[in-house]
Amino acid sequence: MSTDPNPSSGSDTPVPTCYRHPGRETYVRCTRCDRYICPDCMRDAAVGHQCVECVAEANKGVRPARTRLGARDTQDAPPVVTYSLIGLCLLAYVAELASPRVVDEFAMFGGESRFGQMIPGLGVAGGEWYRMITSMFLHQPLSAGGFALTHILFNMWALWALGPALERELGRLRFFTLYMIAGFGGSVLIYLVDAGQVAVGASGAIFGLFAAFFVIGRKLGGDVRPIVFLLVLNLVITFSASSAISWEAHIGGLVTGALVAVAYAYAPEARRKIVHLVAPLVVLAGLVVLVVVKTSQLTSGVA
């Protein structure tokens, strides 16, 4: 910090003012550019103070902190993707309560009736491919009874519990990609195994997060026993109540999430960016090919 040694000397000498706020008198100058700065423009430096422009210029050469997987460090930022996904699911549930047609029109449905006959113009095979995505944000409606309310409560709890840690370690874009591809993978397995099944829920994406938490936890040397216990418990529930729960969505999301997570966690550091970009695209392309092939099989005999 530099100051005029005798600010009161020389009554005819004009009082200096801040270069950003001309109406404010000051005798403090930036140690880097030597311009006068007022208290609002002062930024602490190793020696004295610097102006905001000099601090911004110096920060351009500072590399941002990164997580161990190469994402920008956002430890102090809220997990906005996690909260946004929870918000979308809750909004979708409110829409379900307002109109039962929401589930009818946006649930996962391949287009095949329970008698093995295709229903023209309906379902994924009928061109409603968006069902494979929209179904990820819907949940079992209250009118279905049973575990309807538990369905969304558990999924949102799991997303709230796992999401923030994964989002901060992977970064927002990678986390969102993982979530969406895992959910899509669950819908794809439903389509391949039982095109007549009607399914809703974020469970496929949630199981993808389970897999990612395990894979990334192992890579980073964390304690993965709690997630293993939770995963095994949910798999037992999945297969013990197969009539009420879509095991296809759970397994599809689990496998797809694991594939993407392995690419994120074990990519060579020198090629991390390209692997993190290409690997999810390859997985997604493979899933799309499976959907195209299955659709061709289902519609080949439809006039």
Side-chain angles (χ1 to χ4, degrees), residues 207-227:
F207 268 73
L209 298 188
F210 284 154
F213 206 94
F214 173 79
V215 170
I216 294 172
R218 285 290 301 272
K219 170 63 177 178
L220 300 181
D223 184 4
V224 296
R225 288 175 295 181
I227 199 65

Side-chain angles (χ1 to χ4, degrees), residues 57-159:
E57 185 66 28
N59 287 339
K60 290 181 179 179
V62 178
R63 298 182 63 181
R66 297 282 177 178
T67 67
R68 289 169 290 181
L69 297 184
R72 187 184 294 272
D73 193 343
T74 57
Q75 291 296 324
D76 297 328
V80 294
V81 175
T82 298
Y83 294 160
S84 297
L85 291 170
I86 292 174
L88 287 173
C89 289
L90 294 177
L91 286 175
Y93 202 69
V94 171
E96 291 178 39
L97 296 177
S99 174
R101 292 185 58 187
V102 172
V103 174
D104 295 337
E105 296 179 3
F106 295 101
M108 175 57 202
F109 176 58
E112 189 177 64
S113 73
R114 61 180 179 176
F115 303 108
Q117 299 297 319
M118 285 300 303
I119 304 175
L122 187 63
V124 176
E128 297 177 337
W129 56 267
Y130 55 84
R131 289 176 177 268
M132 307 187 83
I133 303 298
T134 56
S135 59
M136 296 165 49
F137 297 95
L138 302 176
H139 287 82
Q140 191 174 6
L142 290 175
S143 59
F147 298 99
L149 191 58
T150 305
H151 188 209
I152 186 171
L153 289 178
F154 173 78
N155 281 344
M156 294 305 97
W157 171 83
L159 181 52

